[in-house]
Amino acid sequence: MENKEARCRASIGVFDSGVGGLTVAREIMRNLPGEHIVYFGDTARVPYGSKSKDTIVRYARQIIHFLQTQDVKAIVIACNTASALALDTVEKELDIPIIGVIRPGARVAVSATKNRRIGVIGTESTINSHMYQKLICEADPSVTVYEKACPLFCPLVEEGWLKDPVTKEVARRYLAELLDKDIDSLILGCTHYPLLRSLIRELVGDQITLVNPAYETARELGELLERESLSNPDEPPTPPTAEPYRFYVSDMAEKFGHFANSILPYDIETIQKINIEEY
Ligand code: DGL
């Protein structure tokens, strides 16, 4: 009994190639305020979006190994690229629950679309995996999916150019092709892209539903914890603080900290750098 309770009080492990997954961590903090989080950003090896499946599976295994040393009770792959390329492999190797962001994102898009034409934007590796298309068509074979890689978005977001005219022009070019296809829903299929939401909204207008898989991922995580009897029974701290959250990176802790503090509801004071190649 005691063991079971200790298990429920353990943290959720959340990881991404860098800062993008903070958009998912933010939703978990909002939706499940009683849960503790250990976040790992692989800032030494970012970007993931141009790397092969073998490499991403190797990275994911190392990160999961590290997170398990932190005694996590469940893992969220808060990265579309790693969810697309590594989730299938690593979930078979684990004895704790693990979820990615693609299945939840695909599910929401299928329920949002009326004209059954869905656009997906993401990194090159996510788009080339066709994982969104696969899961959407499994859920509803009558849907047509139009995919577009947007490799310049991540560096622009990391540069902080969220509303810059250069970013807007880049977005205009990427999105033109999808807008020609008469889509009514667009999946923001990279965890960096929700930070470009208002700029994308300006370009696509009000008629297109923008799907951020992070919301549904946080919701499905809550359901998963309930189902597995793993929810933390403790009340969240009042007023809310950053205390239940721990952050680790593989490089550039200070830069990560500035970025994190600009998008999270709490100021993070400590970010620890670890050597992920040791795991
Ligand atoms: N945040 C990652 C994703 O959701 C992509 C960033 C990268 O290329 O590392 O796909």
Side-chain angles (χ1 to χ4, degrees):
M1 186 62 187
E2 232 166 70
N3 268 349
K4 179 76 196 167
E5 279 187 13
R7 202 75 216 121
C8 294
R9 292 195 169 91
S11 301
I12 313 282
V14 178
F15 75 89
D16 177 48
S17 59
V19 294
L22 291 167
T23 61
V24 180
R26 179 172 67 178
E27 294 314 318
I28 299 173
M29 291 171 185
R30 279 188 190 138
N31 276 272
L32 304 169
E35 297 298 338
H36 294 217
I37 294 175
V38 176
Y39 184 96
F40 177 78
D42 201 357
T43 45
R45 305 188 293 195
V46 65
Y48 281 11
S50 50
K51 294 194 169 81
S52 69
K53 182 176 171 78
D54 283 355
T55 300
I56 300 302
V57 168
R58 184 168 72 82
Y59 290 175
R61 282 189 177 127
Q62 286 177 320
I63 296 167
I64 289 167
H65 187 199
F66 162 69
L67 290 171
Q68 288 190 300
T69 67
Q70 304 299 302
D71 193 32
V72 296
K73 62 182 176 184
I75 292 177
V76 178
I77 305 187
C79 172
N80 289 265
T81 309
S83 301
L85 303 186
L87 178 61
D88 280 1
T89 307
V90 295
E91 73 183 346
K92 296 190 195 102
E93 303 167 351
L94 268 179
D95 56 2
I96 57 170
I98 179 164
I99 60 169
V101 286
I102 295 197
R103 197 174 285 279
R107 221 189 308 269
V108 179
V110 169
S111 55
T113 186
K114 302 269 185 302
N115 71 0
R116 300 205 193 79
R117 301 167 79 84
I118 297 174
V120 182
I121 51 176
T123 65
E124 275 176 298
S125 300
T126 298
I127 295 304
N128 291 340
S129 77
H130 302 296
M131 191 55 90
Y132 271 108
Q133 184 179 46
K134 177 173 172 273
L135 295 180
I136 288 170
C137 294
E138 267 172 29
D140 184 347
S142 71
V143 172
T144 310
V145 180
Y146 301 94
E147 301 167 297
K148 176 77 186 165
C150 304
L152 292 174
F153 277 174
C154 283
L156 288 165
V157 168
E158 301 222 351
E159 200 57 30
W161 292 14
L162 304 183
K163 298 199 167 125
D164 193 277
V166 169
T167 312
K168 194 163 183 179
E169 183 50 33
V170 169
R172 196 190 310 278
R173 290 211 205 176
Y174 281 147
L175 297 174
E177 211 176 283
L178 293 178
L179 294 177
D180 275 353
K181 307 289 188 207
D182 189 31
I183 55 166
D184 73 352
S185 308
L186 176 64
I187 301 179
L188 308 179
C190 169
T191 50
H192 281 68
Y193 299 178
L195 299 169
L196 295 174
R197 190 188 184 100
S198 55
L199 183 141
I200 293 173
R201 168 61 72 211
E202 264 181 56
L203 292 172
V204 304
D206 292 334
Q207 299 309 310
I208 293 182
T209 305
L210 296 181
V211 176
N212 175 2
Y215 303 134
E216 181 66 10
T217 303
R219 206 190 59 75
E220 289 189 18
L221 173 65
E223 277 182 4
L224 173 75
L225 296 177
E226 282 293 318
R227 204 166 53 239
E228 304 275 332
S229 307
L230 280 174
S231 301
N232 190 337
D234 297 339
E235 288 298 318
T238 42
T241 67
E243 192 245 317
Y245 310 124
R246 280 182 290 142
F247 295 86
Y248 295 86
V249 291
S250 46
D251 206 359
M252 307 290 276
E254 204 174 320
K255 188 174 174 202
F256 178 92
H258 287 307
F259 201 98
N261 286 335
S262 72
I263 66 165
L264 291 180
Y266 312 97
D267 267 356
I268 308 167
E269 268 140 42
T270 329
I271 296 146
Q272 249 173 280
K273 183 181 149 185
I274 59 154
N275 181 359
I276 195 66
E277 294 291 357
E278 279 174 3
Y279 291 87

